[in-house]
Amino acid sequence: MDKLYSIGKSNPRMAAMLLLFGLLMASLEIAGAQIGVCYGRNGNNLPAPGEVVALYNQYNIRRMRLYDTRQDALQALAGSNIDLILGLPNDNLQSISSSQANADSWVQDNIKNHPNVKFRYIAVGNEVNPTGSQAGFVLPAMQNINKAISSAGLSNQIKVSTAIDTGVLGVSYPPSSGAFKNEVLSFLKPIISFLVNNNSPLLVNLYPYFSDLSNMNYALFTAPGVVVQDGQLGYKNLFDAILDAVYSALERAGGSSLKIVVSESGWPSAGGTQTTVDNARTYNNNLIQHVKGGTPKRPTGPIETYVFAMFDENNKSPDLEKHWGLFLPNKQIKYQINFN
């Protein structure tokens, strides 16, 4: 401390430059650390998990979303310092919701047995149909997993949530009028209360691609100016408009304090309308840069975001679902992308 003070006194300009440089580097580190990539494994030609983790490190991808608990991936992540969203698959929800002992065993097997993995969130279910047969299992499963995490002394490190899609919105335009469908409120409101009480974020899978392709500049972050004016707020891209519509819906449902983590977003490179390599490159590169800031409604960023997906997955259907990867299964990058 004395040395730093003496430098500041003898050369204030140098001290100011060092301070600004330090703040810049800190801000770049914080911004860069917000981006993750989803590691889906629904393919028969994908590289081994150890090679995948090495690829994340090679490209400085510091966060990962996994959709299941296959042990080879968890073992490969040990010591990697990659932050992880770990999925509890939908077909496990009933078992976990029905028994605290089952939840305790799940946490023991998949969390506590991997002390060198940096778990960040547990996603209890992914895009569960709010009016379907599994809907009633989601909140009890979240509660049981949360109890197990708390009993393990990990509640300050690992937050429990679930991932929803934006199909739960009944109103999305303008963003300030965002509201959930009436028929999903009985499903979502108790989950929102759980998240608020436990200071956990809501995970949202957010795809402009599936929302509106009528204005491609608006969808790809390339509009030269405001496209949608919503009161005092101007929207230049569809991503922000959808995200702020979800924030507005949360406010109407008792979740005004919640933070949203964008747990999936991306653009396919083949298989459907406007699915070109150029559009995928444009969207994903612009997404990575854009989420360093906030939205018009929530301007304080960055927005923690996970790009979908790491690889093309050939076991998916229809054909559109096969082509979301940033990388080919042979680990070759599909197009130039800057994760920084």
Side-chain angles (χ1 to χ4, degrees):
M1 289 296 292
D2 289 340
K3 288 183 179 179
L4 181 60
Y5 179 73
S6 65
I7 290 172
K9 282 192 72 178
S10 61
N11 193 340
R13 187 174 183 180
M14 178 62 73
M17 289 176 65
L18 288 170
L19 177 61
L20 285 171
F21 178 76
L23 290 171
L24 175 63
M25 293 306 295
S27 67
L28 288 173
E29 182 177 349
I30 291 167
Q34 299 300 306
I35 283 291
V37 178
C38 301
Y39 173 24
R41 303 182 64 182
N42 200 353
N44 62 13
N45 57 354
L46 299 178
E51 297 176 58
V52 175
V53 170
L55 201 60
Y56 271 70
N57 285 328
Q58 178 184 341
Y59 283 89
N60 197 32
I61 306 168
R62 304 317 310 152
R63 290 182 177 170
M64 175 189 289
R65 181 179 178 186
L66 268 179
Y67 292 88
D68 60 48
T69 57
R70 279 179 275 186
Q71 297 297 297
D72 55 354
L74 293 175
Q75 290 160 5
L77 282 163
S80 68
N81 210 34
I82 293 172
D83 288 335
L84 181 66
I85 299 179
L86 181 63
L88 191 156
N90 293 359
D91 56 10
N92 292 165
L93 290 171
Q94 184 172 9
S95 170
I96 299 300
S97 69
S98 65
S99 165
Q100 185 61 53
N102 289 348
D104 292 343
S105 294
W106 190 94
V107 168
Q108 179 66 54
D109 293 343
N110 301 303
I111 305 293
K112 294 175 68 177
N113 285 355
H114 299 278
N116 295 320
V117 175
K118 287 186 65 178
F119 297 98
R120 184 169 177 81
Y121 309 122
I122 299 173
V124 179
N126 182 54
E127 298 185 354
V128 173
N129 183 345
T131 59
S133 60
Q134 294 179 313
F137 304 139
V138 176
L139 181 60
M142 292 172 70
Q143 292 168 330
N144 287 347
I145 290 293
N146 196 57
K147 289 175 187 174
I149 290 292
S150 296
S151 297
L154 298 171
S155 56
N156 290 330
Q157 301 172 40
I158 304 171
K159 295 299 181 181
V160 176
S161 187
T162 190
I164 66 169
D165 61 56
T166 56
V168 297
L169 289 173
V171 179
S172 60
Y173 180 87
S176 61
S177 296
F180 296 122
K181 295 174 179 174
N182 288 332
E183 61 266 31
V184 308
L185 287 175
S186 61
F187 169 75
L188 282 179
K189 276 192 166 183
I191 289 173
I192 290 167
S193 295
F194 169 90
L195 297 175
V196 169
N197 291 337
N198 289 283
N199 196 29
S200 296
L202 176 65
L203 308 181
V204 177
N205 299 341
L206 195 161
Y207 289 97
Y209 177 80
F210 290 120
S211 178
D212 184 6
L213 299 179
S214 64
N215 184 334
M216 287 298 291
N217 286 328
Y218 191 48
L220 294 173
F221 301 95
T222 55
V226 170
V227 176
V228 170
Q229 190 68 42
D230 184 9
Q232 298 297 310
L233 303 179
Y235 288 86
K236 298 180 179 180
N237 64 81
L238 186 53
F239 177 92
D240 280 352
I242 299 171
L243 185 51
D244 277 355
V246 181
Y247 270 123
S248 294
L250 284 173
E251 290 171 359
R252 291 182 167 86
S256 58
S257 66
L258 285 184
K259 182 185 84 167
I260 291 172
V261 170
V262 177
S263 44
E264 290 180 11
S265 193
W267 198 281
S269 60
T273 303
Q274 299 288 3
T275 55
T276 66
V277 169
D278 189 54
N279 283 345
R281 178 198 300 114
T282 299
Y283 180 84
N284 285 323
N285 273 295
N286 286 341
L287 173 72
I288 289 168
Q289 297 307 313
H290 179 76
V291 299
K292 292 178 181 179
T295 68
K297 185 179 180 69
R298 300 283 180 100
T300 303
I303 305 163
E304 186 176 343
T305 300
Y306 293 76
V307 180
F308 187 88
M310 193 66 173
F311 299 105
D312 285 351
E313 297 172 74
N314 66 352
N315 284 345
K316 287 189 167 184
S317 61
D319 191 54
L320 174 69
E321 296 294 329
K322 303 177 189 289
H323 303 287
W324 293 78
L326 302 176
F327 292 83
L328 299 172
N330 65 4
K331 300 188 291 183
Q332 293 300 306
I333 196 160
K334 195 186 292 183
Y335 45 79
Q336 190 62 40
I337 191 160
N338 180 8
F339 293 105
N340 296 318

